[in-house]
Amino acid sequence: MSGHVFRLKFIAAAMLLGLAMAAQAQAPYVPGVTEAREKEWRALVASAQSAYAAGRASDGVEPARKALALAEELFGPDDPRALISANDLALHLEATGHYRESELLLRRVFDGYARTRGEDDPGCQMALENLVDFYIARKRFDAARPLADYALSTFRRITGAHSGRSKRMEGVLASMPAAPNGSGGAAQQDDGHGG
C-alpha cells in the first residue's frame, strides 16, 4: 500500500475515532460554548482533510493549524483529537515541503499515543507507520530502519506475523538499502518554505 493511500486511510480512521469519542472538554466545561467550539474544531478538521484528499495540501494548512490550536485548548495536547489534528497538520506540511515541522509533529503524534494509550493502540501503530513512511520518503534510512524494526516486532506481537501490518513492514525493511558502515541517509532539508 502506498504511503499516500495509507495516510488517507489513517486520516479517515483517526477522524472516525475522534468523532466517536465522548466529549472530554478541558475544564471548565461551559454548556453551549464548549459544544459550539468542538463543532468549530470538527469543521476545521473536515476542511483540512478534504483539501488534503483533493490534492490541495496548501489549502489545508491554515485550517489544520487552527484545528490543532483549538483542539489543544479544548481537549489538551495529548487528547486523541489533538493528536489527530497534529497528524493532519504534519501531512499537509510534508506535502508542501515543510519537512522539519512535519517531522516534529509526526514524532509528537507517535510519542503522544505511545505515552497515553500504549504501543498496542491502533492509533499508535498508525502513527508509527506514518513516521517510518516520512523517513523513507526523505531517504532517511538511518532514522527509518530502527523504527521499522521496532514496528515489525510490535506488529508481530500485537497483530501476528502474517498480518497486513507485519507483512507491510517486512517489505519496507526489505526495500531499504543496506546501512553503509553505520552511516545513514542524508537528511532532506526544508526547501525554503519555512517550517
Side-chain angles (χ1 to χ4, degrees), residues 8-173:
L8 287 177
K9 286 186 178 185
F10 176 75
I11 288 173
M15 185 63 186
L16 291 175
L17 173 69
L19 294 176
M21 297 186 69
Q24 301 170 359
Q26 184 172 308
Y29 177 84
V30 180
V33 173
T34 302
E35 289 92 349
R37 297 196 72 214
E38 185 169 359
K39 186 176 180 180
E40 179 186 353
W41 170 76
R42 291 177 195 275
L44 289 166
V45 168
S47 174
Q49 290 180 352
S50 178
Y52 186 84
R56 297 183 333 268
S58 60
D59 293 345
V61 171
E62 190 58 29
R65 279 195 195 283
K66 288 179 181 177
L68 177 56
L70 188 56
E72 289 173 336
E73 178 187 335
L74 289 176
F75 315 122
D78 286 334
D79 184 272
R81 292 164 287 193
L83 296 175
I84 288 166
S85 293
N87 185 77
D88 287 351
L89 179 56
L91 297 179
H92 284 82
L93 292 170
E94 180 183 5
T96 57
H98 296 83
Y99 302 118
R100 216 172 289 152
E101 187 179 1
S102 178
E103 176 183 8
L104 292 173
L105 285 166
L106 289 170
R107 280 216 162 268
R108 172 191 164 184
V109 171
F110 171 64
D111 292 343
Y113 275 119
R115 184 177 55 258
T116 62
R117 303 181 69 86
E119 66 182 16
D120 293 4
D121 182 76
C124 186
Q125 295 168 30
M126 284 188 271
L128 178 56
E129 286 182 286
N130 278 348
L131 195 52
V132 169
D133 289 343
F134 173 86
Y135 286 129
I136 289 172
R138 309 277 80 71
K139 298 187 184 334
R140 297 263 318 272
F141 304 116
D142 59 323
R145 186 172 286 102
L147 285 172
D149 283 333
Y150 168 72
L152 180 58
S153 67
T154 301
F155 298 162
R156 283 179 174 163
R157 181 180 55 78
I158 296 168
T159 62
H162 301 293
S163 71
R165 277 211 160 106
S166 295
K167 292 295 184 187
R168 178 178 181 272
M169 206 49 58
E170 286 173 2
V172 165
L173 282 163

